[in-house]
Amino acid sequence: MATLRDALIELMLLDEEGFRRRLPDLARTHQLRSVDPQPAEESPAVRDIDGVEPDSLTQFERGYVARMARLGTVPLGLTLTGPAYQNNPLRYATRTFREMTGYSLSALRGENLRLLQGPATDSDAIATLREGIDIWEQRTVELWNYRADGTRFRNRVTIVPLTGADGSITNWLGVQSAITTVDD
């Protein structure tokens, strides 16, 4: 059986029909109770997500944000960033990610997730993530990140390039899970 991380990534990379068809299986296999199997109308779904203004997102991004909303509070943080050529700003973060880091969506929007780095963040892990972005490939690392209140936590981060209709990388999906917490 695939890990929840792998299953979520696979699910998010499917087209809308595939996403709709596979979502109930993911919820059942991983016993996810907060998943909404019914597709919502795109505009109302996005408007209802934490005050996200649909006009602040591209149509492509609105589709991913609506999918993330349907995933509810899965136990992994999900982020949508991009475009990469503009410093990879955060476009959306799920409630799980916000609870994990202590940042509000308004504090995160438009920021690069480097803001989670601090003194104990491993430069080799950062280099691995940068390499993935530079060559447009998925990468997974474990590193120390810092919450809004300054406490650090061990984070397993996967970044996945998302391609638009023309095949070019338009955004990045991030999947994060807190592994341990250490009080400084």
Side-chain angles (χ1 to χ4, degrees), residues 10-157:
E10 181 181 320
L11 181 72
M12 292 296 287
L13 294 176
L14 294 172
D15 64 12
E16 182 58 33
E17 176 60 31
F19 179 88
R20 215 175 303 129
R21 194 173 51 253
R22 299 279 303 276
L23 183 59
D25 291 337
L26 174 98
R28 188 173 36 261
T29 302
H30 294 280
Q31 300 177 348
L32 303 174
R33 307 247 184 265
S34 62
V35 171
D36 181 3
Q38 298 301 316
E41 293 297 321
E42 184 178 356
S43 294
V46 173
R47 271 193 202 96
D48 292 341
I49 301 170
D50 306 310
V52 171
E53 292 295 321
D55 294 340
S56 69
L57 302 170
T58 66
Q59 181 178 358
F60 181 81
E61 291 169 338
R62 283 193 301 271
Y64 275 94
V65 169
R67 286 181 181 193
M68 289 175 168
R70 287 177 49 206
L71 289 169
T73 56
V74 295
L76 297 172
L78 299 173
T79 55
L80 179 67
T81 65
Y85 58 84
Q86 293 179 348
N87 196 30
N88 225 357
L90 185 116
R91 306 296 284 152
Y92 183 73
T94 60
R95 182 174 318 280
T96 301
F97 179 82
R98 289 176 280 152
E99 289 172 357
M100 180 188 331
T101 64
Y103 285 96
S104 67
L105 183 58
S106 61
L108 290 166
R109 291 244 7 217
E111 296 292 329
N112 184 289
L113 289 177
R114 282 189 296 269
L115 73 95
L116 300 177
Q117 296 174 20
T121 303
D122 180 14
S123 60
D124 289 340
I126 298 303
T128 298
L129 292 174
R130 279 198 190 114
E131 176 192 42
I133 290 169
D134 288 347
I135 64 173
W136 311 101
E137 289 185 1
Q138 179 175 323
R139 291 288 186 265
T140 300
V141 299
E142 288 185 14
L143 70 163
W144 288 107
N145 275 157
Y146 291 79
R147 293 185 175 88
D149 67 6
T151 59
R152 68 181 183 159
F153 66 103
R154 192 80 178 154
N155 193 3
R156 180 173 293 128
V157 178

